[in-house]
């Protein structure tokens, strides 16, 4: 018998073809591809941009310059700081907290919801009761109370807090999905083969919910960003550093909305947040086509 050989030219072609397939799927939906480009650009600008911009320093000689002033494309704030430089640096915390908090809440919801539906009994009762308790308390109110007692000055702490309070809604949705999927033939076959609960739940059942989970993850990102910006706007998180929420808080307190020269100061972070959220929603359409075979085969 001769030993089979793999051509050197074929090495790595699988990964390249898979990436090319993802790009083609993204391009099938113009709106989704535009959303993908918007999100990627905002992430790249927020991650790399601060390395190429000067440090923001107060300048009493350039207070509240209007947009389009020489050297200040978006004008300056009430301390003479350049608004554009603050905008470039201000997306890091918002994007980081949004995605990390959504990842935390999604993982919690997947684990708790799927195990509750699959195992049933007391596990299901405990998870449902906990979810109901968390759902009875408005999240923004609970975050406001926690912000009054604790110093929420770390993006990681904010992400853990927001993510740790955002899992109940998705948990109930995942639980309902798993209830319907666990009666399917392939799940019954996995049970008969005694593959174990982790294998049945996380390998056999959850992949069939990929597009559903992705949609809810994107919703989780938008909700986390809303909550974070709301905390800063209300002054419930430490106003240290620079991010879009802090810019909104300072501009609102300074009455920027009533001054024509400072409209760019208060509108810039609003437009950036809207673009980010709009891009996420639009991008989800294309990503769903990648993960949903019925949409991909159209």
């Amino acid at each position: 018998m001769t030993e089979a050989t793999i051509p050197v030219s074929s090495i790595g072609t699988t990964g390249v073809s898979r990436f090319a397939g993802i790009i083609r799927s993204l391009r099938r939906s113009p709106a989704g591809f535009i959303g993908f480009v918007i999100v990627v650009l905002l992430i790249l600008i927020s991650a790399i941009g601060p390395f190429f911009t000067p440090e923001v320093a107060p300048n009493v000689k350039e207070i509240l310059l209007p947009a389009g002033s020489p050297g200040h494309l978006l004008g300056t704030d009430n301390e003479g700081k350049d608004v554009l430089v603050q905008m470039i640096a201000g997306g890091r915390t918002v994007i980081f907290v949004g995605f990390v908090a959504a990842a935390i809440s999604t993982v919690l919801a997947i684990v708790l919801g799927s195990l509750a539906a699959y195992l049933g009994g007391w596990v299901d009762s405990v998870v449902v009761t906990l979810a109901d308790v968390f759902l009875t308390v408005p999240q923004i109110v609970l975050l406001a109370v926690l912000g009054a007692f604790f110093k929420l000055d770390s993006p990681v702490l904010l992400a853990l807090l927001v993510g740790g309070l955002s899992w109940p809604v998705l948990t109930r949705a995942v639980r309902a999905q798993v209830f319907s999927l666990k009666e399917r033939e392939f799940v019954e076959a996995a049970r008969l083969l005694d593959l174990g609960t982790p294998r049945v739940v996380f390998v056999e059942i959850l992949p069939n919910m990929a597009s559903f989970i992705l949609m809810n993850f994107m919703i989780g990102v938008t909700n986390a960003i809303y909550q974070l910006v709301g905390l800063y706007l209300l002054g419930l998180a430490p106003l240290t550093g620079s991010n879009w929420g802090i810019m909104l808080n300072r501009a609102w307190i300074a009455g920027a909305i009533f001054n024509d020269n400072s409209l760019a100061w208060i509108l810039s972070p609003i437009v950036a947040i809207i673009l980010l959220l709009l891009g996420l929603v639009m991008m989800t359409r294309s990503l769903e086509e990648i993960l949903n075979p019925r949409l991909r085969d159209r």
Side-chain angles (χ1 to χ4, degrees):
M1 294 179 63
T2 58
E3 187 173 329
T5 60
I6 300 176
V8 176
S9 59
S10 67
I11 296 177
T13 56
T14 301
V16 174
S17 61
R18 183 176 300 174
F19 179 77
I22 292 175
I23 297 300
R24 284 196 299 270
S25 298
L26 284 172
R27 289 179 175 176
R28 289 180 62 179
S29 172
F33 187 71
I34 292 172
F36 172 77
V37 171
I38 291 173
V39 173
V40 170
L41 284 177
L42 287 174
I43 292 175
L44 288 177
I45 291 172
S46 299
I48 302 174
F51 294 106
F52 301 95
T53 55
E55 292 187 6
V56 180
N59 188 343
V60 294
K61 297 180 180 180
E62 298 182 337
I63 291 178
L64 294 179
L65 293 179
S69 299
H72 302 286
L73 184 63
L74 296 178
T76 59
D77 61 12
N78 60 345
E79 295 180 351
K81 297 179 180 179
D82 187 88
V83 173
L84 179 59
V85 175
Q86 294 182 68
M87 284 292 301
I88 293 173
R92 278 183 170 181
T93 300
V94 174
I95 294 173
F96 173 82
V97 172
F99 277 90
V100 174
I104 293 171
S105 63
T106 302
V107 170
L108 286 174
I110 290 171
V111 173
L112 295 176
S114 57
L115 291 179
Y118 185 78
L119 297 176
W122 68 269
V123 176
D124 186 37
S125 299
V126 170
V127 171
V128 171
T129 302
L130 282 175
D132 289 341
V133 170
F134 275 86
L135 285 172
T136 57
V137 181
Q139 291 185 19
I140 190 63
V141 175
L142 183 57
L143 286 170
V145 172
L146 293 174
F149 286 97
F150 301 99
K151 188 177 181 181
L152 306 177
D153 57 350
S154 168
V156 176
L157 180 60
L158 283 169
L160 289 172
L161 183 60
V162 173
L165 297 175
S166 305
W167 57 270
V169 174
L170 181 55
T171 297
R172 296 181 69 90
V174 170
R175 175 175 171 270
Q177 290 287 324
V178 174
F179 266 129
S180 65
L181 288 172
K182 74 174 186 177
E183 304 299 332
R184 301 285 180 87
E185 292 80 0
F186 66 91
V187 177
E188 291 293 335
R191 286 176 177 173
L192 292 174
L193 291 173
D194 195 21
L195 297 179
T197 299
R199 170 68 184 271
V200 174
V201 172
F202 299 109
V203 178
E204 301 296 334
I205 295 178
L206 288 183
N208 292 278
M209 301 166 52
S211 59
F212 172 79
I213 292 172
L214 176 64
M215 292 284 291
N216 282 275
F217 172 77
M218 292 300 178
I219 294 173
V221 174
T222 58
N223 289 337
I225 291 174
Y226 280 133
Q227 292 177 26
L228 177 67
V229 173
L231 283 174
Y232 282 115
L233 181 60
L234 296 174
L236 299 174
L239 303 178
T240 58
S242 177
N243 64 57
W244 297 337
I246 293 175
M247 290 180 65
L248 274 175
N249 175 276
R250 291 175 174 169
W252 181 261
I253 292 176
I257 195 172
F258 304 110
N259 189 336
D260 293 339
N261 289 342
S262 57
L263 284 179
W265 177 23
I266 193 171
L267 290 179
S268 295
I270 294 176
V271 171
I273 293 169
I274 291 174
L275 283 176
L276 177 60
L277 299 181
L278 181 63
L280 287 169
V281 173
M282 294 168 66
M283 182 179 67
T284 304
R285 295 178 57 187
S286 290
L287 293 178
E288 186 180 13
E289 289 186 2
I290 297 173
L291 295 173
N292 193 330
R294 288 177 296 180
L295 295 177
R296 187 169 58 240
D297 295 335
R298 285 181 180 178

